[in-house]
Amino acid sequence: MKTNFKIRTIWSVLFILIVFTSCQNDDKDLQTATYSTNPEVFIDGFTPGLIYAAFSNTDIFAFQVDTQVTYNNSSAAMRFDVPNVNDPAGTYAGGSFFLSVGRDLSSYDCLTFWAKSTTSATIDVLGFGNDLGENKFQTSLNNVAISTTWRKYIIPIPDPSKLKIEKGMFYYAEGPENGQGYSFWIDDLKFEKLGTIGYPSSTILNGLTKTETAFIGVTKQIDGLTAILNMPNAINQSVGITASYFDFKSSNPAVATVDTQGKITVNNAGTTTITAKLGGVNSVGSLTINCLGAYLNAPTPTLAASNVISIFSDKYANIPVNYTNGYWAPYQTTTSSDFAVNGDNVLNYGNFNFVGIEFSSPTINATAMTHLHLDVFIPNTIASNASLKIKIADFGADGTYGGTGANADVTSNPVGYNSSAFTAGTWKSLDIPLTSFTGLPNRLHLAQLVLDSTVSNLSSISNIYVDNIYFHN
């Protein structure tokens, strides 16, 4: 199985570990236009001014210029050596090729290149628009199949008119295949105008029509951004893109505004719908926000940080958390609409039946802790049969899911609360003695927290907010 690498690190601030530059002049850069229209990135060598920076935690020597293996007998190609699992040189190969001065790429409709590898593989991500700065127009092709023979690849530009001052020429990230490293080559890397790429459709929020409850001060980021373009082979190709490609609109800006980066800010009580366009064409997907007015924050924790192991709280430094919603198929219906109100982050579970929060990297030794704390808010009317059950899982001595023997996973018996424990529209602080979670042999390798509202296999709570999840003594 392929190692799962968190590509989201690419979208964060990156560390420049190794830099290559080229300094010869090129007539294509000496034009009267403000910005060069030179389409070349790597043709027998770096285009003028190109810089390479390896991403953090990568093998900084994963990229090399190769003069032995090239496409169509060219003099040089780009070679990328993906490390093995647990290679001390780096956990994966990845980096960005960018310019200090942007280029006008608005006359092209795609980035093209030829590629091959030492073995059949699936490259995690290839793209352009990553400039180690704002990455405003980052565009990515994910899970790119590559083989041992040279083949031409095309990454379409969703809206070329946006790329008038683009610095990010190319970027990549790839991890081991089945635990093993390998090498792949890229040659003739350049922007082109094919003229055979169909105009795009697009999605926001993964194409879903959503409705969410919000409060004054809530901020939320529009995600699920995709462009779908018809390629020269008549196949529709999806590419991941950033918010700057879109033109967002709020139907009622007095209630909530949305900026060019897709960040929504809720300002007043009322209702508004957020939509978007890409290249002047309506995107599929929308978000309707029903703002109820001022938000009531959860109680601020008062315990000393030295007495707390925090999973989710703005009061304390949180331990590493794998996820706050595992989306466990096939029976889970719970969705996440997490939000922040004036810097206070809150977990919001809609269509709630059960949800898993995992913190197994590393697991928690909670033998010195005595209680589990969490704050719960149910915004809607509470049914008389409402129930909230809480369980804790221990992953055993190996700290991984699915162990046997001494490494076997153990899940506690649930601690339950019925409807009388909660009042709609009011925060309820739960401080649960860890001794109440019977069935755990010890608390050495805690890894999961499970919240469950099912009664006779039906959900009894449709919507719930959770904040300040921590163990304490």
Side-chain angles (χ1 to χ4, degrees), residues 11-338:
W11 303 65
S12 305
V13 176
L14 307 169
F15 298 99
I16 299 178
L17 302 179
I18 183 168
V19 175
F20 294 87
T21 61
S22 174
C23 58
Q24 73 266 27
N25 291 323
D26 189 302
D27 290 340
K28 294 176 182 177
D29 288 321
L30 303 177
Q31 302 182 39
T32 57
T34 303
Y35 295 96
S36 169
T37 59
N38 182 359
E40 297 179 357
V41 183
F42 189 100
I43 308 292
D44 294 333
F46 277 0
T47 190
L50 194 68
I51 303 167
Y52 172 66
F55 296 153
S56 60
N57 300 318
T58 65
D59 181 348
I60 64 173
F61 298 110
F63 164 70
Q64 300 291 333
V65 175
D66 194 336
T67 58
Q68 302 301 312
V69 179
T70 64
Y71 169 69
N72 202 24
N73 297 318
S74 64
S75 59
M78 309 166 81
R79 189 185 81 227
F80 304 93
D81 299 321
V82 182
N84 295 319
V85 167
N86 299 322
D87 190 322
T91 57
Y92 72 107
S96 176
F97 298 82
F98 62 99
L99 302 164
S100 58
V101 178
R103 288 183 182 172
D104 183 354
L105 304 177
S106 60
S107 61
Y108 309 109
D109 57 19
C110 60
L111 175 68
T112 67
F113 55 90
W114 290 80
K116 64 169 284 188
S117 60
T118 55
T119 186
S120 295
T122 303
I123 301 176
D124 289 328
V125 60
L126 299 171
F128 61 87
N130 187 304
D131 58 11
L132 300 189
E134 293 183 277
N135 303 335
K136 287 183 64 176
F137 300 108
Q138 185 163 292
T139 303
S140 61
L141 198 59
N142 298 321
N143 301 318
V144 181
I146 191 171
S147 69
T148 57
T149 58
W150 286 105
R151 173 189 163 194
K152 187 173 183 178
Y153 294 81
I154 301 171
I155 304 178
I157 302 174
D159 184 354
S161 69
K162 300 279 188 177
L163 304 187
K164 294 187 179 296
I165 315 174
E166 182 55 57
K167 296 179 181 179
M169 297 291 101
F170 180 68
Y171 78 98
Y172 76 102
E174 168 63 334
E177 299 277 333
N178 298 314
Q180 300 298 312
Y182 72 101
S183 297
F184 67 93
W185 291 263
I186 287 178
D187 205 349
D188 275 3
L189 178 62
K190 60 186 177 182
F191 289 89
E192 287 193 71
K193 174 70 172 180
L194 298 181
T196 51
I197 296 177
Y199 205 72
S201 60
S202 61
T203 70
I204 63 173
L205 304 166
N206 295 314
L208 300 176
T209 300
K210 291 186 174 183
T211 299
E212 295 182 4
T213 299
F215 301 90
I216 295 172
V218 164
T219 57
K220 182 177 179 64
Q221 184 67 41
I222 293 288
D223 57 12
L225 308 176
T226 304
I228 304 97
L229 300 99
N230 189 258
M231 304 300 285
N233 59 4
I235 293 176
N236 287 334
Q237 177 66 63
S238 295
V239 291
I241 59 178
T242 48
S244 294
Y245 274 111
F246 291 87
D247 296 311
F248 294 99
K249 180 182 178 180
S250 171
S251 65
N252 190 349
V255 173
T257 57
V258 56
D259 67 14
T260 58
Q261 301 303 307
K263 180 182 178 181
I264 300 169
T265 302
V266 181
N267 303 308
N268 290 290
T271 299
T272 188
T273 299
I274 307 299
T275 56
K277 291 184 178 183
L278 176 64
V281 178
N282 291 330
S283 302
V284 179
S286 65
L287 175 62
T288 297
I289 295 174
N290 296 316
C291 177
L292 303 182
Y295 176 71
L296 175 66
N297 294 81
T300 302
T302 59
L303 292 171
S306 59
N307 295 328
V308 170
I309 300 175
S310 181
I311 297 169
F312 183 88
S313 177
D314 293 304
K315 171 70 175 182
Y316 305 109
N318 298 317
I319 61 165
V321 174
N322 303 65
Y323 51 75
T324 55
N325 188 341
Y327 298 104
W328 293 339
Y331 302 110
Q332 180 182 331
T333 61
T334 304
T335 58
S336 288
S337 300
D338 305 337

Side-chain angles (χ1 to χ4, degrees), residues 1 322-323 326 328-331 354 356-363 391-411 445-450:
M1 187 174 204
N322 303 65
Y323 51 75
W328 293 339
Y331 302 110
F354 63 87
I357 301 171
E358 184 166 315
F359 36 90
S360 62
S361 303
T363 58
K391 296 184 286 187
I392 300 174
D394 187 301
F395 277 4
D398 64 352
T400 59
Y401 175 76
T404 59
N407 296 323
D409 304 345
V410 178
T411 301
H445 321 99
L446 302 189
Q448 280 182 353
L449 186 67
V450 180

